[in-house]
Amino acid sequence: DAGVIQSPRHEVTEMGQEVTLRCKPISGHNSLFWYRQTMMRGLELLIYFNNNVPIDDSGMPEDRFSAKMPNASFSTLKIQPSEPRDSAVYFCASRPTRLAGGTDTQYFGPGTRLTVL
Amino acid sequence: AQKITQTQPGMFVQEKEAVTLDCTYDTSDPSYGLFWYKQPSSGEMIFLIYQGSYDQQNATEGRYSLNFQKARKSANLVISASQLGDSAMYFCAMREVGAQKLVFGQGTRLTINP
């Protein structure tokens, strides 16, 4: 089975440009999470969706960040305009529907390494 | 307050030895889940093992086991018979019931020496 797919794997852009990161969750998973990893702050949740609906976006740093999930198999994280401090690795993770007695493991994609110059 | 504490920034171990990576957590919720992830130099986050707070037995997955001591709020990862490919960052994480996000520790960088 394919895991979580993210694209691009690497992105280098200039300050002020728009950046769009893409994620395809594991088929059948109904929850999707966007995390950011930096040396200073570690791994932190930005936003998560349940059944394509944004549930908690309290981790989104500011209005420059937005995320959408138009259907169960696709999500985007957009940064507009980008700034050098946005440089980080952005992970997408998905989780299956929680069943009685089941775990709630999140499975991560390979990440997108973003560099904003 | 730090929810997840990993006190070992780095560890060096000889190949084939067993390794214990420490993790302590802080929660007042009686129901929670604990996770370990491996992040090799290539960058991906690989799920290793899960322990539920109500699980009676310590979780095991192949060479990985979780030493769960609920009263001490610790969830140490034990890797038996370490291999060179085990060299990576290891993250402990917790999910409280009612919260959807995983809260991660700062990680431990494990280096296996030949």
Side-chain angles (χ1 to χ4, degrees), chain A:
Chain A
D1 287 340
V4 176
I5 298 172
Q6 291 187 249
S7 65
R9 294 293 307 276
H10 302 272
E11 177 81 26
V12 180
T13 190
E14 293 189 343
M15 183 173 63
Q17 296 298 306
E18 177 180 297
V19 175
T20 299
L21 311 182
R22 296 173 176 80
C23 175
K24 177 179 170 55
I26 295 172
S27 177
H29 285 194
N30 71 329
S31 295
L32 183 141
F33 304 79
W34 283 99
Y35 288 88
R36 179 172 66 177
Q37 184 180 33
T38 61
M39 289 294 293
M40 292 297 296
R41 299 174 66 89
L43 275 152
E44 51 184 352
L45 179 71
L46 299 177
I47 186 172
Y48 92 91
F49 295 83
N50 196 45
N51 293 323
N52 312 337
V53 177
I55 302 299
D56 181 0
D57 65 354
S58 59
M60 296 285 261
E62 48 199 273
D63 292 344
R64 297 184 298 106
F65 286 69
S66 63
K68 294 182 179 179
M69 192 165 185
N71 57 61
S73 59
F74 184 64
S75 177
T76 60
L77 178 67
K78 186 176 294 186
I79 308 172
Q80 167 63 20
S82 58
E83 296 182 2
R85 60 189 167 127
D86 302 331
S87 297
V89 179
Y90 291 81
F91 287 101
C92 176
S94 70
R95 185 183 72 196
T97 303
R98 297 184 66 201
L99 303 174
T103 68
D104 52 1
T105 301
Q106 295 180 23
Y107 295 91
F108 283 71
T112 295
R113 182 173 296 277
L114 174 64
T115 302
V116 183
L117 304 175

Side-chain angles (χ1 to χ4, degrees), chain B residues 18-64:
Chain B
V19 181
T20 298
L21 305 181
D22 295 341
C23 173
T24 57
Y25 59 92
D26 182 27
T27 181
S28 57
D29 195 329
S31 182
Y32 50 89
L34 296 159
F35 304 79
W36 278 91
Y37 287 84
K38 172 184 178 181
Q39 187 175 38
S41 58
S42 51
E44 68 268 35
M45 293 286 288
I46 302 168
F47 166 70
L48 295 178
I49 196 166
Y50 165 84
Q51 180 84 43
S53 60
Y54 292 120
D55 292 346
Q56 295 296 314
Q57 294 189 327
N58 287 342
T60 60
E61 288 287 348
R63 292 187 300 113
Y64 304 108

